[in-house]
Amino acid sequence: QVQLVESGGGLVQPGGSLRLSCVASGNIFSFSRVGWYRQAPGKQREMVAFATSRSTSNYADAVKGRFAMSRDNAKNTVYLQMNSLIPEDTAVYYCNLVQLGTTYWGQGTQVTVSS
């Protein structure tokens, strides 16, 4: 139906930056929500950023001012620019898309922030 593939994760030092990408493929014709979630070791999955057709981008308090989501519609790609990274940002980051009531997830990409 719909496939989401994240990339761009890796190991960075505190204060560094990463840009995550999520490439969507398949039957994408009327999605209503797109965003990013993350899950850190020992913690529940949490929303990082999302947008709908009726709203601008929304961000979790923990990342406001540091992360920014953007899209390239021609490439069916969603990005998450992450700046001023801190160790607490360490997590597996997942791309999320909702279309016609169905929720899709990518496989995740690991982000590790450590000295």
Side-chain angles (χ1 to χ4, degrees):
Q1 186 66 260
V2 174
Q3 296 80 44
L4 306 174
V5 179
E6 304 96 333
S7 63
L11 173 63
V12 297
Q13 294 185 334
S17 298
L18 283 175
R19 190 192 194 197
L20 306 184
S21 299
C22 172
V23 179
S25 62
N27 299 324
I28 305 170
F29 53 87
S30 185
F31 71 89
S32 60
R33 175 182 172 120
V34 63
W36 292 89
Y37 289 72
R38 69 185 182 186
Q39 186 164 22
K43 299 182 65 177
Q44 294 183 327
R45 181 184 63 189
E46 65 176 347
M47 182 274 293
V48 176
F50 74 92
T52 71
S53 61
R54 299 181 179 181
S55 69
T56 58
S57 297
N58 300 272
Y59 299 92
D61 289 342
V63 307
K64 287 181 179 178
R66 300 189 297 116
F67 291 10
M69 188 173 69
S70 62
R71 290 187 291 168
D72 186 335
N73 292 330
K75 297 181 179 180
N76 272 349
T77 302
V78 180
Y79 304 97
L80 184 67
Q81 179 66 46
M82 306 185 297
N83 301 320
S84 301
L85 286 162
I86 59 177
E88 289 76 14
D89 294 321
T90 296
V92 177
Y93 284 71
Y94 297 92
C95 183
N96 167 264
L97 181 146
V98 179
Q99 177 176 261
L100 300 179
T102 301
T103 302
Y104 301 92
W105 297 94
Q107 85 289 347
T109 185
Q110 176 72 49
V111 172
T112 302
V113 185
S114 178
S115 298

